[in-house]
Amino acid sequence: MDKLIITCAITGAEVTKENNPAVPYTVEEMVNASYEAYLAGASIIHLHARYDDGTPTQDKDRYDIIYRAIKEKCPDIIIQVSTGGAVGMSREERSDVLSIQPEMATLDCGTLNFGGDEVFVNTENDIIFFANKMNQLNVKYEMECFEKGHIDMTLRLIKKDVIKAPYHYSFVLGVVGGMTGEERDFIFLKDSLPSNSTYSVAGVGKFEFSLAELAIIHGGHVRVGLEDNIYIEKGVLANSNSELVNKVCSLAKKHNREIASPLEARKILGMEVK
Ligand code: KMH
Ligand code: ZN
């Protein structure tokens, strides 16, 4: 079994300091959160840019500042920028970040309800738009799937040669309006992937650690972080992103799964080794 790649989703676009004061907003807070997560065992940082007051942005200049600052502190880490941004942003706005030519980015593979009146829109043409851009810029994509229909969309776009191998997926489960993160959901999704795919799981809220453990056992990879879940255990706020990463490392140890370094992660994912 490959070593375990841990991604830390340090901030997201929706969670706030009111939810958990450890959510990073400023460049300095993002650098510190990334560095601590890296020291704890994360090899990928899933990054959303924000302004100092917490407002999410896809502005390339803001991303550039944060991206460089994290790389200065953790030179070998993989930074995966978000092209999902925040609900309501247009695809042009969301794609601005790609002009900094990040090493890796998310590719959201379908539309879903996001609770209340919110809809996270990813039409087929949106997905093609983002995939084409990332292919041109040689950006490695992680295909975020919030339910099974999103995997089916990737299969369609693989046939059309829009989505290129090697395929790397992320199951983001437990979003209000998306698929839940029960064991049966995980098995169904994992068994629906094209052969030779790699995948990571991101359990939202209460699903974070149960899904992480399933992925550890079955040879998948894991994403944790305050973007997805603000608790270290039921009713207890996490003190930091790194505390969540540490908990995954303990689960990995329990199941004798070694943790991948950033270099090893690049090799596992078929990325150019930098
Ligand atoms: N903030 C969500 C609307 C991604 O990073 O690509 C979208 C999201 C997915 O977080
Ligand atoms: Zn995200």
Side-chain angles (χ1 to χ4, degrees):
M1 203 178 274
D2 281 330
K3 289 188 181 181
L4 177 70
I5 301 171
I6 302 176
T7 299
C8 189
I10 56 170
T11 185
E14 284 82 22
V15 70
T16 66
K17 282 191 191 291
E18 284 71 46
N19 303 130
N20 184 325
V23 173
Y25 289 171
T26 67
V27 178
E28 193 188 357
E29 287 170 347
M30 291 212 193
V31 170
N32 290 340
S34 303
Y35 185 55
E36 288 169 16
Y38 167 72
L39 292 180
S43 48
I44 302 178
I45 298 297
H46 171 73
L47 183 67
H48 286 252
R50 295 187 185 225
Y51 293 114
D52 287 352
D53 67 356
T55 307
T57 176
Q58 290 297 102
D59 177 61
K60 63 177 182 331
D61 298 326
R62 183 69 178 176
Y63 262 106
D64 198 40
I65 291 168
I66 304 168
Y67 195 98
R68 284 168 190 272
I70 295 173
K71 286 296 264 189
E72 203 173 303
K73 191 82 177 167
C74 332
D76 60 336
I77 206 161
I78 301 165
I79 301 180
Q80 174 197 89
V81 302
S82 169
T83 64
V87 169
M89 291 176 172
S90 68
R91 70 180 176 210
E92 284 71 25
E93 184 178 3
R94 283 164 51 184
S95 67
D96 198 37
V97 58
L98 291 175
S99 37
I100 71 167
Q101 261 195 284
E103 185 175 8
M104 192 175 189
T106 55
L107 175 62
D108 292 285
C109 294
T111 295
L112 81 158
N113 283 326
F114 238 61
D117 288 328
E118 308 239 290
V119 182
F120 180 36
V121 176
N122 295 285
T123 65
E124 182 180 19
N125 286 345
D126 289 336
I127 302 163
I128 294 170
F129 168 87
F130 282 109
N132 284 343
K133 262 192 190 291
M134 291 191 236
N135 289 335
Q136 278 160 18
L137 294 167
N138 197 24
V139 177
K140 171 76 179 178
Y141 32 87
E142 177 169 286
M143 295 180 268
E144 288 208 359
C145 296
F146 297 76
E147 48 109 325
K148 165 70 163 53
H150 296 181
I151 294 180
D152 296 336
M153 175 58 84
T154 70
L155 302 180
R156 181 179 155 82
L157 296 181
I158 286 168
K159 268 202 194 128
K160 288 183 167 181
D161 202 31
V162 172
I163 287 175
K164 319 266 187 201
Y167 311 124
H168 179 55
Y169 288 84
S170 173
F171 309 149
V172 184
L173 304 181
V175 173
V176 178
M179 198 162 161
T180 55
E182 305 292 346
E183 182 168 5
R184 59 163 195 261
D185 304 315
F186 165 79
I187 300 290
F188 179 43
L189 295 181
K190 160 183 99 54
D191 290 348
S192 303
L193 298 180
S195 53
N196 296 326
S197 300
T198 51
Y199 68 91
S200 183
V201 298
V204 173
K206 67 176 182 178
F207 295 111
E208 184 158 81
F209 294 109
S210 52
L211 265 180
E213 189 158 12
L214 282 169
I216 289 166
I217 293 167
H218 288 272
H221 303 283
V222 172
R223 171 175 123 180
V224 288
L226 295 172
E227 171 171 348
D228 301 329
N229 164 48
I230 56 174
Y231 298 104
I232 190 69
E233 58 185 75
K234 197 168 185 229
V236 182
L237 288 178
N239 288 314
S240 61
N241 276 288
S242 59
E243 198 180 9
L244 300 169
V245 174
N246 276 326
K247 189 160 171 176
V248 175
C249 291
S250 307
L251 291 171
K253 197 164 179 196
K254 176 177 154 194
H255 295 288
N256 295 317
R257 188 105 185 257
E258 286 183 73
I259 309 296
S261 67
L263 178 64
E264 290 165 335
R266 285 184 179 89
K267 288 185 181 158
I268 293 166
L269 299 179
M271 295 166 68
E272 224 174 89
V273 172
K274 305 209 169 188

